[in-house]
């Protein structure tokens, strides 16, 4: 009986907290609501050490904190949430710890795909961002499955950055941009190949009223009647040249010079290196599937970006609560959003200037 009463009390208290939270979010929604919030989930190991927990339990507590913060963000109206789950630099940790984290990640991916999970509750689409080829095959297969299963969701988006660093993302984007430009050049060579040049030559010849077939037949006739032509035709041609002067020579040279100019122009364009622009690089970023973050939150009081979203956070405010990641709560998110709203007009001006 006492246990049942405790359950009812807990249920009522949970309902009251949920109502209070929704009222608070209603007030926050009067101002600008961030479209994208990014998190650096720092402090899982320190949390476990602080509480004398077994190795790996800190990350399990961190996963529970992630589910709570996702619920808060989506209730507030935030569409995109990004989390820094595992850096490429983290592969330098002890192999046993790395393997434990990979196993935990695969387990949690399968867990969030269950029917009653938060993914299905809020219609979340999953993106795993980073150099996924560095991961073990079981983890990579689980991630690919999760992205495939949630591809139809469009209400909310969760981007999990794993095997990620911003520098690796930039190198990848430049490499892909170079590949794209190379493919464009090769396609251009096919489109403007020999057939294209010949078509342009024929067009020039027709424009100047030159019949190539008549020229060939005239050449054959001259070969058969060489002696006769040399006496009569030569004199008439020479007379024509002397009478027409430079205008004749210029007119007769126009078709050939036009062809030469087109060939030289074509050669120049083929040798010319294409320019890689800013839009090309941004298109090939891992994070191109989402807009730039409006807020970056790093727990544990650290203010370093640790090679996370360096490209995308040039005008993004950084909020760094002292709480370790498993300790992050509703009030941390509320203060971050209030700080964002207070500086929103200034940040929008900076974005337009950049």
């Amino acid at each position: 009986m006492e246990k049942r009463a405790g359950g009812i009390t807990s249920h009522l208290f949970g309902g009251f907290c949920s109502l209070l939270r929704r009222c608070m979010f209603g007030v926050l929604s009067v101002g600008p609501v961030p479209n994208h919030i990014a998190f650096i989930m720092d402090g899982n190991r320190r949390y476990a050490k602080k509480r004398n927990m077994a190795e790996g339990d800190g990350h399990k507590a961190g996963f529970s904190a992630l589910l709570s913060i996702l619920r808060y963000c989506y209730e507030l109206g935030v569409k995109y949430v990004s989390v820094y789950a595992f850096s490429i630099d983290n592969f330098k940790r002890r192999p046993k710890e790395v393997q434990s984290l990979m196993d935990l990640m695969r387990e949690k991916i399968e867990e969030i795909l269950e029917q009653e999970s938060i993914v299905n509750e809020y219609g979340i689409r999953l993106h795993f961002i980073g150099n996924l080829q560095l991961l073990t095959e079981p983890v990579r297969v689980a991630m690919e499955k999760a992205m495939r299963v949630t591809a139809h969701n469009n209400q909310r988006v969760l981007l999990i950055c794993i095997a990620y660093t911003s520098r690796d993302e930039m190198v990848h984007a430049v490499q892909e941009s170079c590949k794209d430009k190379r493919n464009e050049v090769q396609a251009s060579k096919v489109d403007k190949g020999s057939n294209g040049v010949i078509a342009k030559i024929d067009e020039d010849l027709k424009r100047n009223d030159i019949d190539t077939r008549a020229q060939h037949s005239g050449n054959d006739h001259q070969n058969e009647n060489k002696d006769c032509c040399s006496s009569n035709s030569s004199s008439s041609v020479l007379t024509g040249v002397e009478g027409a002067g430079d205008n004749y020579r210029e007119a007769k040279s126009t078709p050939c010079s036009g062809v030469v100019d087109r060939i030289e122009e074509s050669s120049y364009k083929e040798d010319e290196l294409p320019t890689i622009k800013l839009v090309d690089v941004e298109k090939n970023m891992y994070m191109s599937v989402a807009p730039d973050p409006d807020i970056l939150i790093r727990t544990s009081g650290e203010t370093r970006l640790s090679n996370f979203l360096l490209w995308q956070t040039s005008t993004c405010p950084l909020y760094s609560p002292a709480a370790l990641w498993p300790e992050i709560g509703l009030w941390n998110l509320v203060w971050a959003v209030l700080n964002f709203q207070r500086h929103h007009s200034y940040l929008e001006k900076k974005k337009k200037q950049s």
Side-chain angles (χ1 to χ4, degrees), residues 43-89:
N44 291 313
R45 293 192 297 174
R46 276 173 282 174
Y47 178 83
K49 186 176 181 180
K50 176 181 171 182
R51 296 177 176 255
N52 296 319
M53 299 170 69
E55 183 178 348
D57 287 350
H59 290 90
K60 292 178 181 178
F63 179 77
S64 298
L66 173 61
L67 296 181
S68 296
I69 207 71
L70 286 176
R71 188 177 298 277
Y72 299 154
C73 287
Y74 295 143
E75 285 181 2
L76 177 59
V78 178
K79 181 172 183 179
Y80 296 90
V81 175
S82 297
V83 294
Y84 200 9
F86 194 85
S87 167
I88 291 177
D89 297 332

Side-chain angles (χ1 to χ4, degrees), residues 188-200:
S188 177
K189 286 181 179 180
V190 172
D191 294 339
K192 299 179 180 179
S194 58
N195 292 333
V197 173
I198 290 171
K200 290 179 180 178

Side-chain angles (χ1 to χ4, degrees), residues 121-238:
E121 181 181 354
Y122 287 95
I124 301 172
R125 180 172 185 175
L126 293 175
H127 285 285
F128 290 91
I129 304 296
N131 192 347
L132 304 185
Q133 297 303 315
L134 298 177
L135 302 171
T136 60
E137 185 176 357
V139 176
R140 192 167 60 250
V141 169
M143 291 178 179
E144 291 172 352
K145 176 185 175 183
M147 288 189 285
R148 185 175 62 254
V149 169
T150 62
H152 64 282
N153 294 339
N154 54 18
Q155 297 179 27
R156 302 286 186 268
V157 180
L158 173 60
L159 302 103
I160 302 175
C161 297
I162 180 170
Y164 172 92
T165 63
S166 194
R167 274 181 269 186
D168 177 74
E169 180 184 29
M170 293 179 195
V171 171
H172 165 80
V174 172
Q175 289 174 340
E176 291 301 312
S177 298
C178 291
K179 289 179 183 178
D180 290 344
K181 291 299 178 182
R182 183 184 62 190
N183 293 337
E184 287 179 15
V185 171
Q186 291 175 346
S188 177
K189 286 181 179 180
V190 172
D191 294 339
K192 299 179 180 179
S194 58
N195 292 333
V197 173
I198 290 171
K200 290 179 180 178
I201 292 173
D202 289 342
E203 183 181 348
D204 284 338
L205 294 176
K206 290 177 181 178
R207 187 180 298 117
N208 290 278
D209 297 322
I210 296 177
D211 190 343
T212 55
R213 288 177 294 181
Q215 287 181 336
H216 288 305
S217 62
N219 291 335
D220 294 339
H221 179 71
Q222 286 178 359
N223 291 332
E224 293 174 359
N225 304 281
K226 186 174 183 181
D227 294 336
C228 180
C229 290
S230 61
S231 60
N232 297 326
S233 299
S234 297
S235 60
S236 62
V237 170
L238 290 173

Side-chain angles (χ1 to χ4, degrees), residues 21-34 72-78 156 334 337-338 340-341:
R21 184 171 69 246
R22 292 178 185 277
C23 292
M24 187 184 306
F25 288 164
V27 174
L28 286 176
S29 298
V30 174
V33 175
Y72 299 154
C73 287
Y74 295 143
E75 285 181 2
L76 177 59
V78 178
R156 302 286 186 268
V334 170
V337 173
L338 286 173
F340 162 77
Q341 291 180 338

